[in-house]
Amino acid sequence: NLQGWFTERSPEWPGEAFSLKVKNKLLQKQSKFQNIEIFESTNHGKVLVLDGAIQFTERDEASYQEMITFLPLNAHPNPRKVLVVGGGDGGVVRELARHPAVEEVVQCEIDEEVIEACKTHVPSMGCGFSNPKLTLHTGDGAKFLEETQEKFDIIITDASDPVVLDGTDEGTKDGPAVSLFNNEYYTKMKNRLAEGGILCSQGENMWLDAEMVVTLVRGCRKVFPVVEYAYTCTPTYTAGQIGFILCATNPATNLKEPVREWDQRTAAEMGLKYYNANVHRAAFALPTFMLQHID
Ligand code: AAT
């Protein structure tokens, strides 16, 4: 009996479902772009759900937020200026405030109602928006990249998944994030990267959609000289893990080897829970079936 539980189900992951026990519903509304839901769970803290898909739980969000942020930043010798696309919960901009090299952060999130909801209901994430280095825009990230004249050392795309509309594998993709999962978007990012620039994008899940991952990686290889796929373990994301696509403009960049390391005391002082140099290196070690797909 799953009454009193939230269940994540989607044609994108047929034949499986994931449930969390609800303690208290905090918000449910339809924005211009998507359905927004926040609840407090019994064991995983607060949870944000967009169009039925879990975006974070407070219990394990560090495994995603720290990795999508520190993998690209620590592969770059001097990541001063950073663009975040998406990330409306505030988690990535919160992480960026911890990094000593970052001087300026620009963010473009499509849905201001996600930002407001997280600021109001989840201060542990929404606190990110009080980062004094942040300039916040609302709008489609792909469009922002076409229009801005600025260049960035790092571009992080913390996007939700494109939503599959019908029950078939070939189902049409839709939802606000569709503009962020294609080769044109990667070319737009390349045009806005400064010399030596690096990007890192939410890269879907190798168990659920290896084909999509491989298609994106192959597309990136046409645009960038260095492309890698990494992943992290986030128990409350579908299938328990999530990937990242990292690309570098400089052929000499080794994304797999951090250019700076923090000892345990420094990491604790910085408030890090998940990321460290060995986790950075390990994130790029891919299982055999993925290597066979990707190479
Ligand atoms: N920090 C982890 C949470 C997310 S949220 C992803 C954000 O991307 C949402 O706030 C959504 O509104 C925003 N977004 C979607 N499309 C666009 C767009 N075109 N331009 C700008 N922002 C956009 C990521 C969770 C990953 C889930 C994995 N299953």
Side-chain angles (χ1 to χ4, degrees):
N1 178 4
L2 285 180
Q3 217 196 336
W5 292 67
F6 164 80
T7 296
E8 186 193 58
R9 245 183 304 194
S10 162
E12 241 175 309
W13 39 90
E16 66 180 86
F18 177 76
S19 298
L20 290 168
K21 193 162 189 191
V22 179
K23 189 158 132 194
N24 189 13
K25 289 188 186 171
L26 297 171
L27 174 84
Q28 172 127 38
K29 72 192 299 192
Q30 180 68 38
S31 78
K32 222 167 103 194
F33 300 98
Q34 54 208 341
N35 191 271
I36 306 173
E37 200 176 336
I38 297 181
F39 65 88
E40 182 159 12
S41 63
T42 54
N43 299 71
H44 293 74
K46 289 174 187 157
V47 182
L48 170 69
V49 178
L50 297 178
D51 281 341
I54 294 172
Q55 306 294 304
F56 70 76
T57 79
E58 286 188 295
R59 178 157 159 181
D60 61 6
E61 53 87 7
S63 65
Y64 175 84
Q65 254 69 240
E66 291 184 17
M67 292 296 273
I68 197 171
T69 307
F70 293 114
L71 288 177
L73 284 155
N74 282 347
H76 195 298
N78 200 3
R80 278 182 298 195
K81 187 162 170 177
V82 183
L83 172 67
V84 180
V85 172
D89 51 33
V92 170
V93 285
R94 179 196 67 200
E95 293 308 321
L96 286 167
R98 301 190 209 277
H99 200 287
V102 175
E103 291 170 3
E104 208 184 326
V105 179
V106 178
Q107 180 174 15
C108 182
E109 158 64 46
I110 204 165
D111 196 343
E112 9 182 23
E113 297 203 47
V114 173
I115 299 173
E116 285 316 311
C118 291
K119 281 211 256 187
T120 307
H121 296 287
V122 198
S124 66
M125 301 290 285
C127 66
F129 295 108
S130 51
N131 183 343
K133 297 168 185 169
L134 173 67
T135 308
L136 183 57
H137 301 269
T138 44
D140 171 43
K143 199 153 166 263
F144 177 82
L145 280 167
E146 282 167 24
E147 288 165 3
T148 181
Q149 302 297 314
E150 296 180 78
K151 292 243 175 181
F152 303 92
D153 300 308
I154 305 283
I155 299 178
I156 295 170
T157 304
D158 178 21
S160 33
D161 308 307
V163 180
V164 177
L165 285 182
D166 55 61
T168 69
D169 284 349
E170 311 306 315
T172 333
K173 305 245 177 198
D174 196 21
V178 208
S179 62
L180 311 179
F181 285 88
N182 55 61
N183 291 342
E184 293 75 53
Y185 177 66
Y186 280 82
T187 308
K188 285 172 198 164
M189 287 197 281
K190 189 183 180 192
N191 294 337
R192 303 305 348 146
L193 279 170
E195 208 186 319
I198 295 173
L199 69 81
C200 181
S201 303
Q202 195 267 85
E204 298 298 323
N205 183 293
M206 61 172 121
W207 291 104
L208 298 176
D209 201 348
E211 282 316 310
M212 176 158 180
V213 172
V214 170
T215 306
L216 282 170
V217 168
R218 293 217 175 108
C220 288
R221 285 188 181 142
K222 294 187 184 137
V223 184
F224 292 93
V226 185
V227 180
E228 302 288 353
Y229 189 75
Y231 72 95
T232 189
C233 299
T234 304
T236 60
Y237 277 158
T238 322
Q241 55 162 249
I242 186 102
F244 307 107
I245 293 175
L246 288 102
C247 305
T249 53
N250 181 343
T253 301
N254 180 2
L255 294 164
K256 301 180 181 185
E257 186 53 39
V259 294
R260 63 186 72 76
E261 274 191 46
W262 296 304
D263 59 30
Q264 268 194 54
R265 181 200 283 208
T266 313
E269 280 168 6
M270 288 172 72
L272 296 180
K273 292 185 193 140
Y274 194 89
Y275 177 89
N276 60 48
N278 278 335
V279 166
H280 182 126
R281 296 179 186 106
F284 294 88
L286 299 183
T288 304
F289 79 90
M290 266 314 272
L291 291 176
Q292 284 163 347
H293 269 305
I294 275 187
D295 289 333

